[in-house]
mmCIF file with all atom_site columns, all heavy atoms in Angstrom:
data_model
loop_
_atom_site.group_PDB
_atom_site.id
_atom_site.type_symbol
_atom_site.label_atom_id
_atom_site.label_alt_id
_atom_site.label_comp_id
_atom_site.label_asym_id
_atom_site.label_entity_id
_atom_site.label_seq_id
_atom_site.pdbx_PDB_ins_code
_atom_site.Cartn_x
_atom_site.Cartn_y
_atom_site.Cartn_z
_atom_site.occupancy
_atom_site.B_iso_or_equiv
_atom_site.pdbx_formal_charge
_atom_site.auth_seq_id
_atom_site.auth_comp_id
_atom_site.auth_asym_id
_atom_site.auth_atom_id
_atom_site.pdbx_PDB_model_num
ATOM   1   N  N   . ASN R 1 74  ? 5.067  136.426 114.116 1.00 98.00 ? 74  ASN R N   1
ATOM   2   C  CA  . ASN R 1 74  ? 4.271  135.376 113.489 1.00 98.00 ? 74  ASN R CA  1
ATOM   3   C  C   . ASN R 1 74  ? 4.556  134.011 114.089 1.00 98.00 ? 74  ASN R C   1
ATOM   4   O  O   . ASN R 1 74  ? 3.653  133.204 114.269 1.00 98.00 ? 74  ASN R O   1
ATOM   5   C  CB  . ASN R 1 74  ? 4.527  135.318 111.982 1.00 98.00 ? 74  ASN R CB  1
ATOM   6   C  CG  . ASN R 1 74  ? 3.954  136.504 111.266 1.00 98.00 ? 74  ASN R CG  1
ATOM   7   O  OD1 . ASN R 1 74  ? 4.580  137.562 111.206 1.00 98.00 ? 74  ASN R OD1 1
ATOM   8   N  ND2 . ASN R 1 74  ? 2.737  136.378 110.772 1.00 98.00 ? 74  ASN R ND2 1
ATOM   9   N  N   . SER R 1 77  ? 10.053 130.498 116.002 1.00 97.00 ? 77  SER R N   1
ATOM   10  C  CA  . SER R 1 77  ? 11.303 129.946 115.470 1.00 97.00 ? 77  SER R CA  1
ATOM   11  C  C   . SER R 1 77  ? 11.235 129.884 113.958 1.00 97.00 ? 77  SER R C   1
ATOM   12  O  O   . SER R 1 77  ? 10.142 129.899 113.365 1.00 97.00 ? 77  SER R O   1
ATOM   13  C  CB  . SER R 1 77  ? 11.536 128.533 116.009 1.00 97.00 ? 77  SER R CB  1
ATOM   14  O  OG  . SER R 1 77  ? 10.678 127.619 115.354 1.00 97.00 ? 77  SER R OG  1
ATOM   15  N  N   . CYS R 1 78  ? 12.413 129.814 113.335 1.00 97.00 ? 78  CYS R N   1
ATOM   16  C  CA  . CYS R 1 78  ? 12.471 129.627 111.875 1.00 97.00 ? 78  CYS R CA  1
ATOM   17  C  C   . CYS R 1 78  ? 11.799 128.308 111.512 1.00 97.00 ? 78  CYS R C   1
ATOM   18  O  O   . CYS R 1 78  ? 11.057 128.210 110.532 1.00 97.00 ? 78  CYS R O   1
ATOM   19  C  CB  . CYS R 1 78  ? 13.914 129.566 111.385 1.00 97.00 ? 78  CYS R CB  1
ATOM   20  S  SG  . CYS R 1 78  ? 14.976 130.920 111.882 1.00 97.00 ? 78  CYS R SG  1
ATOM   21  N  N   . CYS R 1 81  ? 8.034  127.660 110.675 1.00 96.00 ? 81  CYS R N   1
ATOM   22  C  CA  . CYS R 1 81  ? 7.536  127.938 109.320 1.00 96.00 ? 81  CYS R CA  1
ATOM   23  C  C   . CYS R 1 81  ? 8.246  127.124 108.254 1.00 96.00 ? 81  CYS R C   1
ATOM   24  O  O   . CYS R 1 81  ? 7.712  126.928 107.170 1.00 96.00 ? 81  CYS R O   1
ATOM   25  C  CB  . CYS R 1 81  ? 7.697  129.420 109.014 1.00 96.00 ? 81  CYS R CB  1
ATOM   26  S  SG  . CYS R 1 81  ? 6.697  130.456 110.089 1.00 96.00 ? 81  CYS R SG  1
ATOM   27  N  N   . HIS R 1 82  ? 9.470  126.709 108.548 1.00 93.00 ? 82  HIS R N   1
ATOM   28  C  CA  . HIS R 1 82  ? 10.230 125.891 107.585 1.00 93.00 ? 82  HIS R CA  1
ATOM   29  C  C   . HIS R 1 82  ? 10.578 124.569 108.269 1.00 93.00 ? 82  HIS R C   1
ATOM   30  O  O   . HIS R 1 82  ? 11.743 124.315 108.549 1.00 93.00 ? 82  HIS R O   1
ATOM   31  C  CB  . HIS R 1 82  ? 11.543 126.592 107.192 1.00 93.00 ? 82  HIS R CB  1
ATOM   32  C  CG  . HIS R 1 82  ? 11.388 127.957 106.589 1.00 93.00 ? 82  HIS R CG  1
ATOM   33  N  ND1 . HIS R 1 82  ? 11.060 128.156 105.272 1.00 93.00 ? 82  HIS R ND1 1
ATOM   34  C  CD2 . HIS R 1 82  ? 11.555 129.205 107.103 1.00 93.00 ? 82  HIS R CD2 1
ATOM   35  C  CE1 . HIS R 1 82  ? 11.030 129.453 105.006 1.00 93.00 ? 82  HIS R CE1 1
ATOM   36  N  NE2 . HIS R 1 82  ? 11.321 130.115 106.096 1.00 93.00 ? 82  HIS R NE2 1
ATOM   37  N  N   . ARG R 1 174 ? 1.726  134.806 101.206 1.00 98.00 ? 174 ARG R N   1
ATOM   38  C  CA  . ARG R 1 174 ? 2.918  134.018 100.859 1.00 98.00 ? 174 ARG R CA  1
ATOM   39  C  C   . ARG R 1 174 ? 3.008  132.775 101.736 1.00 98.00 ? 174 ARG R C   1
ATOM   40  O  O   . ARG R 1 174 ? 2.730  132.834 102.937 1.00 98.00 ? 174 ARG R O   1
ATOM   41  C  CB  . ARG R 1 174 ? 4.200  134.833 101.104 1.00 98.00 ? 174 ARG R CB  1
ATOM   42  C  CG  . ARG R 1 174 ? 4.248  136.197 100.440 1.00 98.00 ? 174 ARG R CG  1
ATOM   43  C  CD  . ARG R 1 174 ? 4.485  136.078 98.939  1.00 98.00 ? 174 ARG R CD  1
ATOM   44  N  NE  . ARG R 1 174 ? 4.236  137.357 98.262  1.00 98.00 ? 174 ARG R NE  1
ATOM   45  C  CZ  . ARG R 1 174 ? 5.132  138.311 98.104  1.00 98.00 ? 174 ARG R CZ  1
ATOM   46  N  NH1 . ARG R 1 174 ? 6.347  138.135 98.572  1.00 98.00 ? 174 ARG R NH1 1
ATOM   47  N  NH2 . ARG R 1 174 ? 4.836  139.428 97.478  1.00 98.00 ? 174 ARG R NH2 1
ATOM   48  N  N   . PRO R 1 177 ? 8.892  129.176 101.075 1.00 94.00 ? 177 PRO R N   1
ATOM   49  C  CA  . PRO R 1 177 ? 9.448  128.239 100.088 1.00 94.00 ? 177 PRO R CA  1
ATOM   50  C  C   . PRO R 1 177 ? 10.307 127.186 100.774 1.00 94.00 ? 177 PRO R C   1
ATOM   51  O  O   . PRO R 1 177 ? 10.638 127.316 101.952 1.00 94.00 ? 177 PRO R O   1
ATOM   52  C  CB  . PRO R 1 177 ? 10.332 129.119 99.197  1.00 94.00 ? 177 PRO R CB  1
ATOM   53  C  CG  . PRO R 1 177 ? 10.437 130.447 99.852  1.00 94.00 ? 177 PRO R CG  1
ATOM   54  C  CD  . PRO R 1 177 ? 9.582  130.470 101.081 1.00 94.00 ? 177 PRO R CD  1
ATOM   55  N  N   . PHE R 1 225 ? 16.944 135.634 96.567  1.00 98.00 ? 225 PHE R N   1
ATOM   56  C  CA  . PHE R 1 225 ? 16.107 134.842 97.472  1.00 98.00 ? 225 PHE R CA  1
ATOM   57  C  C   . PHE R 1 225 ? 14.748 135.494 97.681  1.00 98.00 ? 225 PHE R C   1
ATOM   58  O  O   . PHE R 1 225 ? 14.606 136.705 97.562  1.00 98.00 ? 225 PHE R O   1
ATOM   59  C  CB  . PHE R 1 225 ? 16.837 134.631 98.800  1.00 98.00 ? 225 PHE R CB  1
ATOM   60  C  CG  . PHE R 1 225 ? 18.141 133.903 98.615  1.00 98.00 ? 225 PHE R CG  1
ATOM   61  C  CD1 . PHE R 1 225 ? 19.350 134.542 98.840  1.00 98.00 ? 225 PHE R CD1 1
ATOM   62  C  CD2 . PHE R 1 225 ? 18.146 132.598 98.158  1.00 98.00 ? 225 PHE R CD2 1
ATOM   63  C  CE1 . PHE R 1 225 ? 20.548 133.873 98.633  1.00 98.00 ? 225 PHE R CE1 1
ATOM   64  C  CE2 . PHE R 1 225 ? 19.337 131.916 97.942  1.00 98.00 ? 225 PHE R CE2 1
ATOM   65  C  CZ  . PHE R 1 225 ? 20.541 132.568 98.185  1.00 98.00 ? 225 PHE R CZ  1
ATOM   66  N  N   . GLY R 1 226 ? 13.784 134.678 98.043  1.00 97.00 ? 226 GLY R N   1
ATOM   67  C  CA  . GLY R 1 226 ? 12.419 135.153 98.217  1.00 97.00 ? 226 GLY R CA  1
ATOM   68  C  C   . GLY R 1 226 ? 11.650 135.003 96.907  1.00 97.00 ? 226 GLY R C   1
ATOM   69  O  O   . GLY R 1 226 ? 12.240 134.858 95.827  1.00 97.00 ? 226 GLY R O   1
ATOM   70  N  N   . TRP R 1 227 ? 10.319 134.997 96.989  1.00 98.00 ? 227 TRP R N   1
ATOM   71  C  CA  . TRP R 1 227 ? 9.461  134.754 95.816  1.00 98.00 ? 227 TRP R CA  1
ATOM   72  C  C   . TRP R 1 227 ? 9.656  135.800 94.731  1.00 98.00 ? 227 TRP R C   1
ATOM   73  O  O   . TRP R 1 227 ? 9.321  135.571 93.578  1.00 98.00 ? 227 TRP R O   1
ATOM   74  C  CB  . TRP R 1 227 ? 7.988  134.718 96.234  1.00 98.00 ? 227 TRP R CB  1
ATOM   75  C  CG  . TRP R 1 227 ? 7.627  133.495 97.020  1.00 98.00 ? 227 TRP R CG  1
ATOM   76  C  CD1 . TRP R 1 227 ? 7.393  133.427 98.368  1.00 98.00 ? 227 TRP R CD1 1
ATOM   77  C  CD2 . TRP R 1 227 ? 7.441  132.158 96.521  1.00 98.00 ? 227 TRP R CD2 1
ATOM   78  N  NE1 . TRP R 1 227 ? 7.086  132.135 98.726  1.00 98.00 ? 227 TRP R NE1 1
ATOM   79  C  CE2 . TRP R 1 227 ? 7.098  131.342 97.624  1.00 98.00 ? 227 TRP R CE2 1
ATOM   80  C  CE3 . TRP R 1 227 ? 7.516  131.582 95.256  1.00 98.00 ? 227 TRP R CE3 1
ATOM   81  C  CZ2 . TRP R 1 227 ? 6.840  129.969 97.488  1.00 98.00 ? 227 TRP R CZ2 1
ATOM   82  C  CZ3 . TRP R 1 227 ? 7.266  130.213 95.121  1.00 98.00 ? 227 TRP R CZ3 1
ATOM   83  C  CH2 . TRP R 1 227 ? 6.934  129.430 96.229  1.00 98.00 ? 227 TRP R CH2 1
ATOM   84  N  N   . MET R 1 230 ? 13.957 139.346 96.161  1.00 96.00 ? 230 MET R N   1
ATOM   85  C  CA  . MET R 1 230 ? 14.230 140.673 96.691  1.00 96.00 ? 230 MET R CA  1
ATOM   86  C  C   . MET R 1 230 ? 15.379 140.700 97.692  1.00 96.00 ? 230 MET R C   1
ATOM   87  O  O   . MET R 1 230 ? 15.697 141.744 98.229  1.00 96.00 ? 230 MET R O   1
ATOM   88  C  CB  . MET R 1 230 ? 12.961 141.296 97.283  1.00 96.00 ? 230 MET R CB  1
ATOM   89  C  CG  . MET R 1 230 ? 12.344 140.547 98.440  1.00 96.00 ? 230 MET R CG  1
ATOM   90  S  SD  . MET R 1 230 ? 11.481 139.082 97.857  1.00 96.00 ? 230 MET R SD  1
ATOM   91  C  CE  . MET R 1 230 ? 10.522 138.671 99.291  1.00 96.00 ? 230 MET R CE  1
ATOM   92  N  N   . GLN R 1 237 ? 18.150 137.920 103.828 1.00 96.00 ? 237 GLN R N   1
ATOM   93  C  CA  . GLN R 1 237 ? 16.872 137.198 103.906 1.00 96.00 ? 237 GLN R CA  1
ATOM   94  C  C   . GLN R 1 237 ? 16.593 136.758 105.356 1.00 96.00 ? 237 GLN R C   1
ATOM   95  O  O   . GLN R 1 237 ? 15.501 136.946 105.878 1.00 96.00 ? 237 GLN R O   1
ATOM   96  C  CB  . GLN R 1 237 ? 16.931 135.975 102.989 1.00 96.00 ? 237 GLN R CB  1
ATOM   97  C  CG  . GLN R 1 237 ? 15.798 134.981 103.195 1.00 96.00 ? 237 GLN R CG  1
ATOM   98  C  CD  . GLN R 1 237 ? 14.523 135.361 102.471 1.00 96.00 ? 237 GLN R CD  1
ATOM   99  O  OE1 . GLN R 1 237 ? 14.515 135.576 101.272 1.00 96.00 ? 237 GLN R OE1 1
ATOM   100 N  NE2 . GLN R 1 237 ? 13.429 135.460 103.204 1.00 96.00 ? 237 GLN R NE2 1
ATOM   101 N  N   . ASP R 1 245 ? 9.096  138.274 110.889 1.00 98.00 ? 245 ASP R N   1
ATOM   102 C  CA  . ASP R 1 245 ? 8.402  137.051 111.302 1.00 98.00 ? 245 ASP R CA  1
ATOM   103 C  C   . ASP R 1 245 ? 8.520  136.785 112.801 1.00 98.00 ? 245 ASP R C   1
ATOM   104 O  O   . ASP R 1 245 ? 7.652  136.194 113.413 1.00 98.00 ? 245 ASP R O   1
ATOM   105 C  CB  . ASP R 1 245 ? 8.969  135.830 110.553 1.00 98.00 ? 245 ASP R CB  1
ATOM   106 C  CG  . ASP R 1 245 ? 8.780  135.932 109.046 1.00 98.00 ? 245 ASP R CG  1
ATOM   107 O  OD1 . ASP R 1 245 ? 7.760  136.497 108.630 1.00 98.00 ? 245 ASP R OD1 1
ATOM   108 O  OD2 . ASP R 1 245 ? 9.652  135.455 108.295 1.00 98.00 ? 245 ASP R OD2 1
ATOM   109 N  N   . ARG R 1 375 ? 10.072 135.382 90.756  1.00 98.00 ? 375 ARG R N   1
ATOM   110 C  CA  . ARG R 1 375 ? 11.301 134.669 90.402  1.00 98.00 ? 375 ARG R CA  1
ATOM   111 C  C   . ARG R 1 375 ? 10.926 133.240 90.006  1.00 98.00 ? 375 ARG R C   1
ATOM   112 O  O   . ARG R 1 375 ? 10.111 132.600 90.675  1.00 98.00 ? 375 ARG R O   1
ATOM   113 C  CB  . ARG R 1 375 ? 12.230 134.612 91.621  1.00 98.00 ? 375 ARG R CB  1
ATOM   114 C  CG  . ARG R 1 375 ? 13.506 133.820 91.354  1.00 98.00 ? 375 ARG R CG  1
ATOM   115 C  CD  . ARG R 1 375 ? 14.205 133.444 92.659  1.00 98.00 ? 375 ARG R CD  1
ATOM   116 N  NE  . ARG R 1 375 ? 13.400 132.518 93.443  1.00 98.00 ? 375 ARG R NE  1
ATOM   117 C  CZ  . ARG R 1 375 ? 13.828 131.901 94.546  1.00 98.00 ? 375 ARG R CZ  1
ATOM   118 N  NH1 . ARG R 1 375 ? 15.040 132.141 94.999  1.00 98.00 ? 375 ARG R NH1 1
ATOM   119 N  NH2 . ARG R 1 375 ? 13.047 131.074 95.212  1.00 98.00 ? 375 ARG R NH2 1
HETATM 120 C  C1  . HEC X 2 .   ? 6.081  133.146 109.912 1.00 92.50 ? 1   HEC X C1  1
HETATM 121 C  C2  . HEC X 2 .   ? 6.740  132.168 109.137 1.00 92.50 ? 1   HEC X C2  1
HETATM 122 C  C3  . HEC X 2 .   ? 8.231  132.318 108.879 1.00 92.50 ? 1   HEC X C3  1
HETATM 123 C  C4  . HEC X 2 .   ? 9.245  132.345 109.801 1.00 92.50 ? 1   HEC X C4  1
HETATM 124 C  C5  . HEC X 2 .   ? 9.161  132.363 111.305 1.00 92.50 ? 1   HEC X C5  1
HETATM 125 C  C6  . HEC X 2 .   ? 10.464 132.346 109.023 1.00 92.50 ? 1   HEC X C6  1
HETATM 126 N  N1  . HEC X 2 .   ? 10.187 132.319 107.684 1.00 92.50 ? 1   HEC X N1  1
HETATM 127 FE FE1 . HEC X 2 .   ? 11.548 132.172 106.182 1.00 92.50 ? 1   HEC X FE1 1
HETATM 128 N  N2  . HEC X 2 .   ? 10.073 132.511 104.842 1.00 92.50 ? 1   HEC X N2  1
HETATM 129 C  C7  . HEC X 2 .   ? 8.737  132.634 105.131 1.00 92.50 ? 1   HEC X C7  1
HETATM 130 C  C8  . HEC X 2 .   ? 8.016  133.083 103.961 1.00 92.50 ? 1   HEC X C8  1
HETATM 131 C  C9  . HEC X 2 .   ? 6.519  133.340 103.860 1.00 92.50 ? 1   HEC X C9  1
HETATM 132 C  C10 . HEC X 2 .   ? 8.992  133.246 102.947 1.00 92.50 ? 1   HEC X C10 1
HETATM 133 C  C11 . HEC X 2 .   ? 8.750  133.791 101.550 1.00 92.50 ? 1   HEC X C11 1
HETATM 134 C  C12 . HEC X 2 .   ? 8.769  135.295 101.668 1.00 92.50 ? 1   HEC X C12 1
HETATM 135 C  C13 . HEC X 2 .   ? 8.626  135.975 100.355 1.00 92.50 ? 1   HEC X C13 1
HETATM 136 O  O1  . HEC X 2 .   ? 9.481  135.746 99.504  1.00 92.50 ? 1   HEC X O1  1
HETATM 137 O  O2  . HEC X 2 .   ? 7.673  136.711 100.186 1.00 92.50 ? 1   HEC X O2  1
HETATM 138 C  C14 . HEC X 2 .   ? 10.275 132.856 103.533 1.00 92.50 ? 1   HEC X C14 1
HETATM 139 C  C15 . HEC X 2 .   ? 11.475 132.821 102.835 1.00 92.50 ? 1   HEC X C15 1
HETATM 140 C  C16 . HEC X 2 .   ? 12.681 132.371 103.364 1.00 92.50 ? 1   HEC X C16 1
HETATM 141 C  C17 . HEC X 2 .   ? 13.895 132.129 102.598 1.00 92.50 ? 1   HEC X C17 1
HETATM 142 C  C18 . HEC X 2 .   ? 14.076 132.293 101.096 1.00 92.50 ? 1   HEC X C18 1
HETATM 143 C  C19 . HEC X 2 .   ? 14.002 130.989 100.364 1.00 92.50 ? 1   HEC X C19 1
HETATM 144 C  C20 . HEC X 2 .   ? 14.082 131.101 98.874  1.00 92.50 ? 1   HEC X C20 1
HETATM 145 O  O3  . HEC X 2 .   ? 13.760 130.118 98.186  1.00 92.50 ? 1   HEC X O3  1
HETATM 146 O  O4  . HEC X 2 .   ? 14.460 132.125 98.334  1.00 92.50 ? 1   HEC X O4  1
HETATM 147 C  C21 . HEC X 2 .   ? 14.854 131.763 103.506 1.00 92.50 ? 1   HEC X C21 1
HETATM 148 C  C22 . HEC X 2 .   ? 16.300 131.413 103.220 1.00 92.50 ? 1   HEC X C22 1
HETATM 149 C  C23 . HEC X 2 .   ? 14.234 131.800 104.824 1.00 92.50 ? 1   HEC X C23 1
HETATM 150 N  N3  . HEC X 2 .   ? 12.915 132.142 104.695 1.00 92.50 ? 1   HEC X N3  1
HETATM 151 C  C24 . HEC X 2 .   ? 14.896 131.548 106.012 1.00 92.50 ? 1   HEC X C24 1
HETATM 152 C  C25 . HEC X 2 .   ? 14.342 131.785 107.269 1.00 92.50 ? 1   HEC X C25 1
HETATM 153 C  C26 . HEC X 2 .   ? 15.101 131.854 108.516 1.00 92.50 ? 1   HEC X C26 1
HETATM 154 C  C27 . HEC X 2 .   ? 16.592 131.675 108.650 1.00 92.50 ? 1   HEC X C27 1
HETATM 155 C  C28 . HEC X 2 .   ? 14.205 132.103 109.508 1.00 92.50 ? 1   HEC X C28 1
HETATM 156 C  C29 . HEC X 2 .   ? 14.460 132.333 110.980 1.00 92.50 ? 1   HEC X C29 1
HETATM 157 C  C30 . HEC X 2 .   ? 15.317 133.456 111.298 1.00 92.50 ? 1   HEC X C30 1
HETATM 158 C  C31 . HEC X 2 .   ? 12.892 132.174 108.879 1.00 92.50 ? 1   HEC X C31 1
HETATM 159 N  N4  . HEC X 2 .   ? 13.017 132.008 107.536 1.00 92.50 ? 1   HEC X N4  1
HETATM 160 C  C32 . HEC X 2 .   ? 11.722 132.380 109.585 1.00 92.50 ? 1   HEC X C32 1
HETATM 161 C  C33 . HEC X 2 .   ? 8.141  132.371 106.355 1.00 92.50 ? 1   HEC X C33 1
HETATM 162 C  C34 . HEC X 2 .   ? 8.837  132.330 107.557 1.00 92.50 ? 1   HEC X C34 1
#
Side-chain angles (χ1 to χ4, degrees):
N74 290 84
S77 75
C78 307
C81 296
H82 302 280
R174 307 286 167 87
F225 300 112
W227 289 106
M230 61 284 195
Q237 168 82 55
D245 298 326
R375 177 196 66 172

